[in-house]
């Protein structure tokens, strides 16, 4: 057998391999969907007060929160204060910092009497899953720890998780005042509207300070 | 021993006082709803007797200290006024009512909140570009290789 015949046989095998592998990658690239945040059934929580087993802890004085830790979903993130835009929409941390969460500084601070609100991105076009990607997976009883500038750590227990259309956002349940120290975590959820480049729902986690 | 029991009853008295006071106060001045997105309207109501004149609601908050005069006799008795929150700084406000006869009633709070939900996501990452590029390169390499092979075979056949 002449050598000229054997070399092409190896080459044919290599070419076939490259073709098949390349085709496979193309097919995968064309069909693979990016990771989706966990879904929360809409209206899962109607009254976050029900099902709460513990008496809320005593309110702490006001202090800026600096860090949030949620062991159940591996969240360890810095907090930055956020306010509201000129149109009255709550601010979120800049999209180039998807790993930090924002504390709504015009409301209560975590541990203070009333509702403290923390907002975080679910994902980012540039870097994928963001700080509150897995928020919808939290279950009643899960713990949320907030470290404050006074070195105290406020520990909250999850009361419930709800999903609400943005047009029917439960403003009173999220931002309401009251004597008990509560925490609300807010992120996006539901279907992503490609045209509006926005999610249709908000996922809200309701939690209460532990004694 | 005696001092202790006196102190104890004083503490008890103060305790009962703090327990009772807010309940009595809340019955006198109310704000509904207790939260409103900025730009919304809240209704301030006092249990003042309308016969003694208009009630004045003093609204104090993050950067505001304004008096609002009652405009309507409330359905369940008392006097009320509507407060439009456009331009209000977000935050919690306290409302204290003073009746026409000078009686000062308790206070109530309401919270001006952001409008709507939070824009907290910019969409899933479209990260398939790498896969498509690698796949395309491999397929192109395979095609080039196949072309070269076919040419080489033709050349060999032609020589033979």
């Amino acid at each position: 057998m002449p050598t000229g015949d054997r070399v092409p046989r190896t080459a044919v095998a290599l070419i076939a391999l490259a073709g098949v592998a390349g085709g496979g990658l193309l097919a995968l690239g064309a069909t693979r969907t990016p990771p989706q945040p966990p879904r929360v059934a809409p209206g899962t929580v109607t009254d976050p007060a029900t099902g709460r087993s513990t008496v809320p802890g005593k309110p702490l004085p006001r202090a800026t929160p600096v860090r949030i830790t949620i062991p159940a979903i591996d969240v360890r993130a810095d907090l930055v204060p956020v306010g509201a835009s000129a149109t009255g929409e709550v601010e979120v941390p800049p999209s180039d910092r998807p790993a930090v969460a924002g504390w709504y500084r015009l409301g209560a601070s975590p541990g203070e009497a009333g509702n403290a609100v923390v907002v975080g991105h679910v994902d980012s076009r540039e870097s994928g899953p963001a700080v509150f990607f897995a928020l919808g997976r939290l279950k009643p009883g899960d713990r949320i720890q907030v470290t404050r500038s006074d070195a105290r750590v406020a520990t909250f227990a999850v009361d419930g998780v709800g999903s609400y259309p943005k047009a029917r956002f439960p403003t009173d349940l999220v931002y309401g005042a009251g004597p008990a120290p509560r925490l609300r975590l807010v992120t996006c959820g539901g279907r992503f509207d490609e045209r509006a480049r926005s999610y249709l729902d908000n996922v809200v986690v309701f939690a209460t300070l532990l004694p | 021993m005696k001092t202790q029991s006196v102190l104890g009853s004083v503490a008890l008295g103060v305790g009962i006082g703090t327990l009772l006071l807010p309940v009595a106060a809340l019955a006198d001045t109310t704000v509904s709803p207790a939260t409103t997105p900025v730009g919304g309207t809240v209704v301030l109501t006092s249990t003042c007797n309308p016969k003694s004149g208009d009630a004045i609601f003093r609204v104090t908050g993050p950067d505001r200290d304004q008096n609002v005069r009652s405009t309507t006799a409330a359905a369940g008795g008392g006097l009320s006024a509507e407060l439009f929150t456009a331009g209000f700084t977000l935050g919690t406000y306290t409302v204290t009512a003073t009746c026409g006869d000078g009686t000062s009633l308790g206070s109530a709070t309401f919270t001006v909140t952001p409008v709507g939900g939070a824009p907290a996501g910019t969409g899933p990452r479209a990260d398939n570009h790498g896969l498509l590029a690698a796949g395309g390169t491999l397929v192109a390499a395979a095609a080039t290789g196949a072309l070269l092979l076919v040419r080489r075979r033709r050349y060999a056949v032609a020589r033979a």
Side-chain angles (χ1 to χ4, degrees):
Chain A
M1 238 188 199
T3 47
D5 208 31
R6 227 178 292 148
V7 174
R9 203 165 280 179
T10 321
V12 166
L14 275 176
I15 288 166
L17 189 69
V20 169
L25 285 179
L26 280 179
L28 190 67
T31 56
R32 192 179 72 155
T33 50
Q36 299 291 317
R39 290 287 177 98
V40 179
T44 308
V45 170
T46 43
D47 181 8
T50 58
R52 191 179 293 138
S53 53
T54 50
V55 176
K58 272 194 354 197
L60 303 174
R62 189 175 179 87
T64 304
V66 291
R67 204 163 165 74
I68 185 166
T69 307
I70 315 172
I73 52 172
D74 278 331
V75 169
R76 279 165 201 85
D78 287 339
L79 288 170
V80 293
V82 295
S85 71
T87 54
E89 197 174 40
V90 68
E91 281 176 347
V92 292
S95 60
D96 62 345
R97 294 184 67 195
V100 304
W103 163 60
Y104 176 66
R105 62 182 168 78
L106 304 172
S109 71
E112 201 180 5
N115 291 358
V117 180
V118 173
V119 293
H121 285 285
V122 68
D123 58 16
S124 148
R125 207 79 180 164
E126 292 75 34
S127 54
V131 58
F132 279 174
F133 183 77
L135 213 59
R137 253 209 314 268
L138 285 177
K139 297 273 173 290
D142 284 345
R143 298 292 194 262
I144 302 167
Q145 282 131 19
V146 179
T147 308
R148 306 160 16 120
S149 59
D150 61 2
R152 280 194 241 222
V153 178
T155 302
F156 298 83
V158 172
D159 299 315
V161 184
S163 179
Y164 306 86
K166 282 184 179 171
R168 279 181 281 132
F169 189 76
T171 303
D172 49 340
L173 292 180
V174 173
Y175 295 103
R182 309 205 190 276
L183 180 68
R184 275 78 177 96
L185 310 182
V186 182
T187 191
C188 274
R191 200 167 65 77
F192 185 72
D193 183 343
E194 283 287 346
R195 199 168 302 169
R197 294 179 75 78
S198 141
Y199 280 93
L200 297 182
D201 298 345
N202 271 132
V203 171
V204 181
V205 171
F206 302 90
T208 301
L209 184 70
L210 288 174
Chain B
M1 204 53 184
K2 181 146 190 173
T3 327
Q4 232 173 13
S5 84
V6 167
L7 274 181
S9 56
V10 165
L12 190 68
V14 169
I16 290 171
T18 49
L19 279 178
L20 291 180
L21 263 177
V23 179
L26 282 174
D28 291 332
T29 306
T30 53
V31 183
S32 177
T35 62
T36 178
V38 60
T41 301
V42 290
V43 177
L44 319 175
T45 305
S46 72
T47 50
C48 295
N49 184 352
K51 283 179 188 140
S52 59
D54 290 345
I56 300 292
F57 298 97
R58 184 175 175 195
V59 180
T60 52
D63 62 351
R64 182 171 294 263
D65 187 345
Q66 85 178 91
N67 286 333
V68 180
R69 185 174 288 271
S70 64
T71 53
T72 343
L79 291 164
S80 64
E82 287 195 340
L83 181 66
F84 186 43
T85 63
F88 274 47
T89 300
L90 306 192
T92 298
Y93 292 77
T94 302
V95 179
T96 317
T98 308
C99 302
D101 60 7
T103 321
S104 205
L105 296 180
S107 64
T109 62
F110 68 94
T111 304
V112 178
T113 74
V115 176
T122 53
R125 179 173 51 171
D127 58 354
N128 292 344
H129 301 304
L131 283 177
L132 291 175
T137 309
L138 279 177
V139 168
T144 312
L147 195 69
L148 286 176
L149 262 194
V150 169
R151 274 205 183 155
R152 184 190 160 120
R153 179 157 299 177
R154 272 196 195 141
Y155 177 66
V157 168
R159 237 180 24 170

